[in-house]
Amino acid sequence: RTIGVNEIARSPGGGRDISRVIQSLPGVAGTVAFRNDIIIRGGSPNENRFFIDGIEVPNINHFSTQGAAGGPAGLINVNFIREVDFFTSAFPSNRGNALSSVMDIKQKTGREDRLGFNATVGSSDLGLTVEGPIGQKTTFLASGRRSYLGWLFKTLGLPFLPNYNDFQFKTRTKFDERNELTVIGLGAIDNFALNLEADSTEEQKYILGYLPVNTQWSYTVGANFKHFFENSYLTVVASRNMLNNKNIKYQNNDESSEANKILDYVSQEIENKLRIEHNVRKGGFKVVYGVGYEFARYLNDTYNRISTPFGLDTIQYNSSLNLHKYGAFGNVSRSFVSDRLVLALGLRM
């Protein structure tokens, strides 16, 4: 299914959020109303894969649940999107580790004639997008958004105060007719604080008693280089993404002493990826083949005091895990009956 930017922007109840638009498609379900988890025919939300201009992004939501793929608010600025290809089966062989779906997002390029600006006032945030040329060969898109949910929730007297910020950019450099380079960046800073003034009811006191203070930030940066031949093109994609997740909680929210600390959790996930692929069109056939490599790290430092039938117990540990992943893929396809029928054969190892 190919989804255009107008469909995303005008979808009723979508809030200019691509995940909520996807949830309205046949065979797609969501979880509770305030999250953007995508469930494809009963599959897990972490079985989905997201790509922006051919570069993999682990998550496209704010306040993401570590190890999953959802969150309460979308991270991608709709003003950047040209169209979205959404696969719920028969995934392309060059899009790895997908079990439920692949969302392939194609971004537009910046204006070539002059600078342009776009300001957005949303239901939960403010945003500004800037685009234009950088010299004769390069164009850029850049945006920043900041939420006002913390101010709104405090005005309503809610015991928790979420705030998020995100930043996004894209540059495209066309060196000549055969070589071009696309560089993208996507980042988020998410803070979840407590409103200690909202403790007048039993429900508010209960929420303040168990909710931790959460600080989370993440980013993805990547480059996509293409070299065009007579009937084919070579693509080299390199990227890095990182997630830093921190939760801390003090008994009775009293931070005056370290002895009151109940939870101190810090976790990081870092991935470095390289993919090389060759796309060939000849005699009505489309052939794609290539290789990929990833180096990933997982770091965890946990301190947690829990109550047991025998009294308080302390869990404290740290861990470090390194992963090397590599693979090869190939796919051949051809259209028949005036492009009404496509037959494809693919393999990924």
Side-chain angles (χ1 to χ4, degrees):
R1 175 73 181 271
T2 299
I3 305 169
V5 63
N6 288 332
E7 185 176 352
I8 299 170
R10 299 176 181 177
S11 177
R16 297 170 58 85
D17 191 328
I18 178 61
S19 296
R20 297 183 185 178
V21 176
I22 292 295
Q23 286 179 350
S24 66
L25 298 179
V28 184
T31 55
V32 289
F34 56 85
R35 288 187 58 85
N36 281 349
D37 296 291
I38 298 174
I39 298 173
I40 309 297
R41 301 185 184 92
S44 172
N46 64 2
E47 295 176 354
N48 307 303
R49 291 295 175 264
F50 309 99
F51 291 83
I52 300 179
D53 290 334
I55 297 166
E56 185 171 0
V57 178
N59 200 336
I60 58 172
N61 293 289
H62 288 284
F63 299 105
S64 61
T65 301
Q66 194 170 354
L75 175 58
I76 297 178
N77 190 339
V78 174
N79 294 327
F80 277 56
I81 297 177
R82 175 165 55 88
E83 65 179 22
V84 178
D85 290 333
F86 185 58
F87 300 87
T88 58
S89 62
F91 316 124
S93 63
N94 58 347
R95 300 292 187 255
N97 300 324
L99 291 175
S100 286
S101 75
V102 169
M103 188 186 297
D104 203 347
I105 301 171
K106 298 179 177 66
Q107 298 184 118
K108 67 178 186 179
T109 56
R111 298 181 59 152
E112 298 180 353
D113 53 350
R114 58 183 176 85
L115 286 175
F117 302 87
N118 183 299
T120 304
V121 180
S123 59
S124 60
D125 54 46
L126 307 171
L128 178 65
T129 303
V130 185
E131 60 177 317
I134 306 176
Q136 296 182 343
K137 298 182 178 181
T138 304
T139 62
F140 81 96
L141 276 165
S143 77
R145 293 190 302 175
R146 179 174 177 82
S147 77
Y148 51 81
L149 283 178
W151 171 82
L152 179 62
F153 280 29
K154 189 171 184 178
T155 303
L156 296 174
L158 296 178
F160 47 88
L161 306 175
N163 275 301
Y164 62 81
N165 308 268
D166 60 55
F167 317 93
Q168 192 172 350
F169 76 87
K170 173 184 177 178
T171 65
R172 178 175 177 265
T173 303
K174 194 168 184 179
F175 300 103
D176 49 45
E177 293 299 321
R178 291 185 177 272
N179 299 281
E180 68 175 48
L181 174 67
T182 299
V183 179
I184 72 163
L186 187 66
I189 302 174
D190 305 327
N191 297 314
F192 193 93
L194 300 179
N195 182 13
L196 299 180
E197 299 175 0
D199 63 348
S200 57
T201 67
E202 291 299 322
E203 181 181 8
Q204 290 174 329
K205 292 178 181 179
Y206 174 74
I207 293 175
L208 290 172
Y210 79 85
L211 272 184
V213 174
N214 174 253
T215 303
Q216 185 181 102
W217 55 263
S218 63
Y219 69 84
T220 299
V221 291
N224 186 330
F225 176 77
K226 290 185 179 180
H227 176 75
F228 296 90
F229 300 98
E230 187 69 26
N231 296 308
S232 66
Y233 63 92
L234 179 70
T235 302
V236 180
V237 180
S239 66
R240 175 183 171 90
N241 59 262
M242 182 174 180
L243 169 70
N244 186 89
N245 197 18
K246 180 177 177 62
N247 288 279
I248 192 165
K249 183 67 178 177
Y250 289 85
Q251 188 171 2
N252 298 322
N253 299 311
D254 182 6
E255 302 180 12
S256 60
S257 173
E258 287 294 305
N260 295 328
K261 185 181 291 183
I262 301 174
L263 173 67
D264 191 352
Y265 169 89
V266 180
S267 179
Q268 292 184 340
E269 295 181 13
I270 307 112
E271 294 179 322
N272 302 279
K273 304 181 181 183
L274 175 66
R275 188 176 78 253
I276 303 173
E277 60 182 58
H278 192 200
N279 289 259
V280 183
R281 290 181 180 269
K282 191 171 184 180
F285 288 92
K286 180 181 178 182
V287 180
V288 182
Y289 62 92
V291 294
Y293 169 75
E294 298 180 21
F295 171 61
R297 298 192 68 196
Y298 174 74
L299 308 173
N300 188 308
D301 192 349
T302 295
Y303 171 85
N304 192 13
R305 282 197 301 152
I306 61 173
S307 177
T308 72
F310 308 101
L312 290 177
D313 194 8
T314 300
I315 300 173
Q316 188 169 7
Y317 66 90
N318 59 72
S319 62
S320 176
L321 178 65
N322 295 331
L323 299 170
H324 296 272
K325 315 175 188 180
Y326 47 91
F329 54 85
N331 191 85
V332 58
S333 61
R334 184 172 183 177
S335 300
F336 300 91
V337 196
S338 301
D339 292 335
R340 295 182 179 180
L341 173 66
V342 178
L343 297 182
L345 176 65
L347 175 66
R348 184 177 182 87
M349 298 178 63

